Amino acid sequence: MKHQVITGALSLAFVGLALAAGQYRRAALVGATACSFTALLSMLVLARSVKNAEKPLKPALLVMTVAFLARILLVALGTVFVARAGENVFAFVVAFFVPYFAFSAVEGVYLHSLRRFTGRAA
């Protein structure tokens, strides 16, 4: 639960920063919102997938892989969308990837916290 709250707080902070980006606000908002949405969804699905799993790392890694692939797709689609709208693509990319690395760190810490439930090492 702690990791989901941190992800939510970071999402609000990054979207707030995007809103304060001045003339690059629209492109930054698209990037921060897309990344925040995937992070929130990823953390919710992570929590549900490991809840009753005997080996929680397997479903967690699957969720993280699918989330990574979804983020790749969103970066491509967002770049096209922002470019066609005549907005600054660089602002979109920065607003997507700065939060991405922060959210990845939270997901990594969450994944690390699951180690205590894996049982004996092979």
Side-chain angles (χ1 to χ4, degrees), residues 13-111:
F14 285 123
V15 169
L17 286 172
L19 286 171
Q23 66 180 356
Y24 305 113
R25 177 178 41 239
R26 281 184 237 134
L29 193 57
V30 171
T33 303
C35 190
S36 295
F37 175 75
T38 59
L40 290 168
L41 188 62
S42 174
M43 287 304 291
L44 290 174
V45 174
L46 268 172
R48 293 192 91 186
S49 70
V50 302
K51 192 172 188 177
N52 295 320
E54 185 177 315
K55 293 184 176 185
L57 287 180
K58 284 185 179 184
L61 289 174
L62 177 64
V63 169
M64 289 183 73
T65 302
V66 170
F68 177 75
L69 295 173
R71 286 174 178 144
I72 289 174
L73 181 63
L74 281 175
V75 167
L77 292 173
T79 302
V80 170
F81 175 77
V82 168
R84 286 195 177 174
E87 298 293 331
N88 190 312
V89 174
F90 184 71
F92 165 79
V93 170
V94 169
F96 188 93
F97 281 106
V98 169
Y100 169 75
F101 290 116
F103 292 132
S104 293
V106 174
E107 289 173 355
V109 169
Y110 181 72
L111 193 64

